[in-house]
Amino acid sequence: MSVPKQMQGTYDKIAALLIDFSKEHLNDEYEALCLHALEKLCRKRPSPLASGRANSWAAGIVYSIGKNNFIFDRSQEIHLSGKEIGEGFGVAASTAAAKAAEIQKALKIRMYDAEWCLPSMVKDNPMIWIVSVNGLAVDARHLPLEYQVACYEKGLIPYIPALREEKAASDADNDASKDEKNE
């Protein structure tokens, strides 16, 4: 995704802040999602990033992406408080939260939305997999392969679970065969 020329300077400032913060406190998945959100915000017409401080927007991006991925839950491997996010960018937690609310509205970020979910959390996110079959809510992971393919082709699920399971089983069989040969 490209950034409009008039927003490139703003993008560069905020991206640098996000990358530095991600290296210190988050991981590559968070960094990628935060940069994706930044790109989308730069492409909005008019972009909300055209006014305000770069560090406030960066804090808001991390806050909104983190909130959607349970960053405030201490049971998560990566967890931070709103105060820690704000302090990391030199702003108050309330500023980070206010910018996050603007960002979530502008980008239509909803809990359990696959676009804003860390890739490592997609398989465990139950709401991503719920589809309607004849008016009944069903977990697509439990549907036959042909239905999973149809759901994927319609953009209802992020990938075809049955094919991932087959590949994982095949990879496990290959690993077991290699182990037997090495013994």
Side-chain angles (χ1 to χ4, degrees), residues 52-74:
R53 296 177 21 222
N55 57 336
S56 297
W57 285 113
I61 290 170
V62 170
Y63 194 106
S64 62
I65 297 301
K67 180 180 176 185
N68 207 53
N69 289 283
F70 308 101
I71 200 166
F72 305 123
D73 180 350
R74 291 184 182 270

Side-chain angles (χ1 to χ4, degrees), residues 5-6 9 12 14 17 30 38 41-42 55 67 95 98 101 104-105 110 115 123 127 138 143 149-150 157 177 183:
K5 288 180 186 175
Q6 68 271 20
D12 292 341
I14 298 172
L17 293 169
Y30 266 108
L38 175 59
L41 288 165
C42 284
N55 57 336
K67 180 180 176 185
T95 300
Q104 288 174 314
K105 184 176 180 182
R110 299 177 326 276
E115 180 178 9
K123 70 178 177 53
M127 297 307 291
V138 179
L143 293 173
V149 170
I157 58 176
S177 295
E183 291 178 355

Side-chain angles (χ1 to χ4, degrees), residues 13-73:
K13 285 179 195 171
I14 298 172
L17 293 169
L18 291 171
I19 291 167
D20 289 346
F21 187 85
S22 295
K23 298 280 184 247
E24 190 171 337
H25 302 285
L26 304 172
N27 62 20
D28 292 341
E29 287 183 316
Y30 266 108
E31 180 181 315
L33 271 181
C34 289
L35 292 174
H36 176 62
L38 175 59
E39 289 173 3
K40 288 189 96 166
L41 288 165
C42 284
R43 295 183 59 79
K44 285 278 199 204
R45 303 229 184 236
S47 174
L49 305 178
S51 64
R53 296 177 21 222
N55 57 336
S56 297
W57 285 113
I61 290 170
V62 170
Y63 194 106
S64 62
I65 297 301
K67 180 180 176 185
N68 207 53
N69 289 283
F70 308 101
I71 200 166
F72 305 123
D73 180 350

Side-chain angles (χ1 to χ4, degrees), residues 99-125:
K99 290 297 185 189
E102 278 187 67
I103 291 164
Q104 288 174 314
K105 184 176 180 182
L107 298 180
K108 297 180 174 91
I109 296 175
R110 299 177 326 276
M111 288 300 280
Y112 305 113
D113 186 338
E115 180 178 9
W116 304 110
C117 185
L118 294 172
S120 61
M121 294 179 78
V122 167
K123 70 178 177 53
D124 297 324
N125 185 333

